[in-house]
């Protein structure tokens, strides 16, 4: 095997942005598998869901928003704590930054390490990283379980439907229009990153999303899903990937294999089915390492640091 470049360091090709209208109130800023940003336009204000990685990159989202509305961008929702989703927040100058209390706790516990780790993994996604203000992005409103935001007559439910991609995952739900913004709980044609995940919980959380019967869904990565059939496909694909990693790792551990052996066999098993999804090679070492941890001795994800990232990659990919 030729040695793979660390994480996404060899991924330097710019993607094409789409700004997809799902309804008069809902838009998806997507870019061929790069991290998505959702936009909800209410009667009197705009809510942005996940910010892009830097303020300079967020300016392109603002430019798209200004093509469809001049209402003030009052709210930013952080669906979870990952740096690539939150560090562009300052560009929007929001009045409030909303996150679950669990996400807030993760920012306190591991925000600094995660920032350094993610900037090292994704050079292209942190374009103009110098525009990120010092420190972290801090929520100004936190909630537990459920919070409803009324943007005039438009009801926006912010829901924690269970753990999955992280402990703090939040989705946004427009019940009047049956449109859901899932964050990284659902991906489409893109590999789920599960380095901070709860493998045992994730499928149930996807069931809880499905129970809402969304007709349109904006995933964390990949194109906006604009029919119930596409939503089903997005949920099913994400679920199958998580279940396949978990089953493969569990059987390897049961057979007494170490992490390296489990990684090699899981990669070989999954590559034919999912290898065409973006960031497959990036995610697999992190996903299998976390799954191995969960199956063995770590109920909660261990903190990734820039150093731990490199050591893990060296151990599994050399
Ligand atoms: Zn994430």
């Amino acid at each position: 095997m030729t040695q793979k470049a660390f994480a996404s360091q060899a991924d330097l090709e710019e993607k094409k942005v789409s700004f997809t209208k799902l309804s008069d109130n809902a838009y998806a800023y997507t870019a061929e598998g790069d991290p998505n940003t959702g936009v909800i336009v209410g009667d009197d204000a705009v809510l942005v869901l996940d910010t892009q990685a830097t303020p300079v990159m967020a300016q392109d989202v603002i430019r798209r928003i200004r093509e469809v509305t001049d209402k003030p961008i009052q709210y930013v929702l952080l669906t979870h704590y990952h740096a690539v989703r939150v560090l562009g927040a300052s560009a929007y100058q929001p009045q409030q930054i909303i996150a679950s209390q669990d996400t807030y706790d993760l920012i306190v516990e591991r925000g600094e390490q995660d920032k350094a780790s993610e900037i090292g993994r994704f050079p292209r996604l942190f374009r103009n990283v110098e525009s990120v203000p010092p420190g972290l992005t801090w929520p100004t409103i936190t909630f537990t379980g459920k919070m409803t935001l009324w943007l005039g007559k438009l009801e926006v439910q912010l829901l924690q439907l269970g753990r999955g991609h992280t402990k703090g995952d939040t989705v946004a739900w427009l019940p009047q229009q049956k449109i859901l913004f899932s964050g990284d709980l659902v991906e489409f044609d893109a590999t789920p990153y599960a380095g901070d995940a709860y493998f045992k919980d994730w499928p149930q959380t996807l069931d809880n999303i499905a129970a809402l019967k969304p007709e349109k869904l904006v995933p964390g990565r990949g194109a906006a899903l604009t029919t119930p059939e596409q939503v089903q496909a997005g949920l099913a694909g994400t679920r199958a990937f998580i279940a396949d990693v978990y089953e493969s790792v569990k059987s390897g551990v049961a057979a007494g294999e170490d992490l390296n052996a489990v990684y090699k066999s899981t990669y070989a098993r999954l590559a034919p089915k999912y290898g065409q999804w973006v960031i497959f090679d990036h995610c697999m070492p992190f996903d299998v390492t976390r799954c191995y941890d969960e199956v063995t001795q770590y109920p909660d994800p261990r903190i990734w640091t820039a150093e731990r990232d490199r050591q893990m990659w060296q151990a599994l990919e050399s």
Side-chain angles (χ1 to χ4, degrees), residues 51 76 78 83 86-90 97 104 107 132-139:
T51 72
V76 164
L78 310 178
V86 311
L87 292 181
S90 63
I97 298 176
Y104 188 95
I107 296 171
V132 175
L136 300 172
T137 302
W138 290 103

Side-chain angles (χ1 to χ4, degrees), residues 80 82 84-85 165-166 184 187 193:
H80 61 290
H82 283 148
V84 75
R85 307 251 158 215
H165 177 68
T166 72
D184 280 327
E187 312 291 18
Y193 173 74

Side-chain angles (χ1 to χ4, degrees), residues 49-67:
L49 307 97
D50 292 337
T51 72
Q52 299 291 307
T54 68
V56 164
M57 295 177 74
Q59 287 302 336
D60 192 53
V61 180
I62 294 171
R63 188 176 65 77
R64 301 289 182 138
I65 293 171
R66 288 295 166 243
E67 287 172 1

Side-chain angles (χ1 to χ4, degrees), residues 59-205:
Q59 287 302 336
D60 192 53
V61 180
I62 294 171
R63 188 176 65 77
R64 301 289 182 138
I65 293 171
R66 288 295 166 243
E67 287 172 1
V68 297
T69 181
D70 55 9
K71 290 168 188 166
I73 301 169
Q74 267 178 15
Y75 304 100
V76 164
L77 172 75
L78 310 178
T79 65
H80 61 290
Y81 75 96
H82 283 148
V84 75
R85 307 251 158 215
V86 311
L87 292 181
S90 63
Y92 304 94
Q93 300 182 283
Q95 286 178 11
Q96 307 290 350
I97 298 176
I98 308 169
S100 69
Q101 182 63 39
D102 289 317
T103 288
Y104 188 95
D105 293 345
L106 286 166
I107 296 171
V108 171
E109 180 193 52
R110 56 184 69 194
E112 285 290 356
Q113 291 100 321
D114 176 70
K115 180 178 179 180
S117 154
E118 291 197 47
I119 289 171
R121 293 181 194 185
F122 297 110
R124 181 174 58 79
L125 291 185
F126 285 91
R127 180 153 46 81
N128 296 104
V129 69
E130 73 286 349
S131 63
V132 175
L136 300 172
T137 302
W138 290 103
T140 56
I141 296 176
T142 63
F143 71 98
T144 298
K146 177 178 178 180
M147 168 176 170
T148 301
L149 204 58
W150 289 93
L151 301 179
K153 290 193 169 62
L154 184 72
E155 181 178 5
V156 184
Q157 295 181 3
L158 310 180
L159 305 170
Q160 284 186 283
L161 297 176
R163 302 185 299 190
H165 177 68
T166 72
K167 179 175 78 173
D169 296 335
T170 298
V171 305
W173 171 236
L174 303 181
Q176 297 150 325
Q177 302 178 1
K178 298 203 168 295
I179 298 172
L180 189 122
F181 296 80
S182 70
D184 280 327
L185 277 169
V186 181
E187 312 291 18
F188 187 70
D189 273 345
T191 311
Y193 173 74
D196 303 302
Y198 290 82
F199 278 84
K200 244 180 290 183
D201 296 19
W202 198 330
Q204 179 62 52
T205 304

